[in-house]
């Protein structure tokens, strides 16, 4: 149980393109999902907390207009990187919790999306 | 803001040797979680510790939560090549829902 599916797994595109990444909880409902960014050999950096039916909460320094998050249902959150540039190239990972979203519950991660902007 | 540091950043051991990673938080934690990320993969939840001084074991892995609930450790006995990966600790990050991940310890095991 507690499977999170993330799609696509890899994207290579030209500078200026917008890229949408989907995160789905397959066998549970997730009122809260999280979007992380990870650079090579570094830790996970939380970008934003995605809340079903309301606006996402962004971490300090993360541009809301650059990284659009939509959490329209209890099983789907999307991250759109708008007008992507080479500096946006990274590994993006989503996660979800199975319960009420409190931090004492484990997070279940998607497989991640490796984004390369040429 | 809250900081969660891990040492060492990287360790290379021979198969069969023991390994320990240490996690230190700048703030007291209500709980601490450990995750493992294999190369090219995503983090996978290993365990959660809640009580001060708690010790939990999973086969060759031993997890400990400090008495002050600001530090934790993961010890692997007799490492195997399947233990290769990066180990992250994570604690509540200031709000009720999010986690702050530690800096991670990358473990390399060779025969």
């Amino acid at each position: 149980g507690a499977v999170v599916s993330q799609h696509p797994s890899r994207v290579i595109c030209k500078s200026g393109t917008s890229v949408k990444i989907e995160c789905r909880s397959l066998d549970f409902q997730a009122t809260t999902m999280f979007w992380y960014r990870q650079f090579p050999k570094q830790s996970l950096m939380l970008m934003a907390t995605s809340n079903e039916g309301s606006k996402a909460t962004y971490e300090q320094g993360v541009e809301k207009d650059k990284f659009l998050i939509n959490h329209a249902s209890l099983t789907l959150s999307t991250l759109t990187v708008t007008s992507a540039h080479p500096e946006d190239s990274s590994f993006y990972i989503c996660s979800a919790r199975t319960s009420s979203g409190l931090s004492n519950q484990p997070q279940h991660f998607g497989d991640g999306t490796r984004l390369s902007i040429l | 803001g809250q900081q969660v540091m891990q040492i060492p950043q990287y360790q290379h051991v021979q198969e069969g040797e023991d390994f320990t990673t240490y996690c230190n938080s700048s703030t007291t934690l209500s709980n601490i979680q450990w995750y493992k990320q294999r190369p090219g993969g995503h983090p996978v939840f290993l365990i959660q510790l809640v009580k001060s001084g708690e010790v939990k074991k999973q086969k060759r892995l031993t997890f400990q939560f400090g008495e002050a609930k600001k530090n934790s450790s993961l010890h692997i006995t007799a490492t195997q090549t399947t233990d290769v990966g990066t180990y992250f600790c994570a604690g509540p990050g200031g709000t009720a829902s999010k986690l702050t991940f530690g800096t991670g310890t990358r473990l390399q095991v060779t025969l």
Side-chain angles (χ1 to χ4, degrees), chain B residues 46-92:
Chain B
L46 294 177
I47 207 161
Q48 176 179 267
L49 304 170
V50 178
K51 299 177 183 176
S52 169
E54 188 172 13
V55 177
K56 285 188 176 180
K57 291 190 176 184
Q58 286 181 350
K59 297 183 180 179
R60 295 178 294 102
L61 278 61
T62 301
F63 303 84
Q64 187 167 11
F65 201 8
E67 294 289 342
K69 303 183 78 172
K70 293 184 70 174
N71 57 71
S72 180
S73 65
L74 158 59
H75 179 81
I76 303 178
T77 304
T79 55
Q80 300 175 359
T81 54
T82 53
D83 296 324
V84 166
T86 301
Y87 293 85
F88 293 101
C89 62

Side-chain angles (χ1 to χ4, degrees), chain B:
Chain B
Q2 180 191 42
Q3 291 187 338
V4 183
M5 306 296 291
Q6 286 181 250
I7 56 171
Q9 281 188 320
Y10 170 76
Q11 187 153 9
H12 183 179
V13 299
Q14 297 286 321
E15 189 177 48
E17 293 181 336
D18 293 353
F19 160 78
T20 303
T21 171
Y22 300 92
C23 171
N24 293 285
S25 170
S26 59
T27 59
T28 302
L29 303 171
S30 58
N31 68 84
I32 191 137
Q33 299 176 14
W34 283 91
Y35 292 79
K36 176 184 178 181
Q37 183 176 23
R38 293 182 185 273
H42 61 273
V44 174
F45 173 76
L46 294 177
I47 207 161
Q48 176 179 267
L49 304 170
V50 178
K51 299 177 183 176
S52 169
E54 188 172 13
V55 177
K56 285 188 176 180
K57 291 190 176 184
Q58 286 181 350
K59 297 183 180 179
R60 295 178 294 102
L61 278 61
T62 301
F63 303 84
Q64 187 167 11
F65 201 8
E67 294 289 342
K69 303 183 78 172
K70 293 184 70 174
N71 57 71
S72 180
S73 65
L74 158 59
H75 179 81
I76 303 178
T77 304
T79 55
Q80 300 175 359
T81 54
T82 53
D83 296 324
V84 166
T86 301
Y87 293 85
F88 293 101
C89 62
T95 68
S97 64
K98 67 181 185 180
L99 288 176
T100 298
F101 280 79
T103 48
T105 296
R106 188 160 63 94
L107 172 64
Q108 180 64 268
V109 181
T110 53
L111 295 172

Side-chain angles (χ1 to χ4, degrees), chain A residues 32 34 36 38 41-44 46 49 59 91 93 97 101-107 109-111 114, chain B residues 30-31 33 35 37 40-45 48 88 92-93 95-99 101-104 106:
Chain A
T32 304
F34 304 89
Y36 295 87
Q38 186 177 36
K41 298 183 181 180
Q42 293 192 23
S43 186
L44 288 81
L46 181 65
T49 302
E59 294 300 302
F91 190 52
I93 319 177
R97 282 204 177 96
L102 295 179
S103 61
N104 62 351
Q105 297 296 318
Q107 292 190 14
F109 287 82
D111 288 339
R114 196 161 301 281
Chain B
S30 58
N31 68 84
Q33 299 176 14
Y35 292 79
Q37 183 176 23
H42 61 273
V44 174
F45 173 76
Q48 176 179 267
F88 293 101
T95 68
S97 64
K98 67 181 185 180
L99 288 176
F101 280 79
T103 48
R106 188 160 63 94

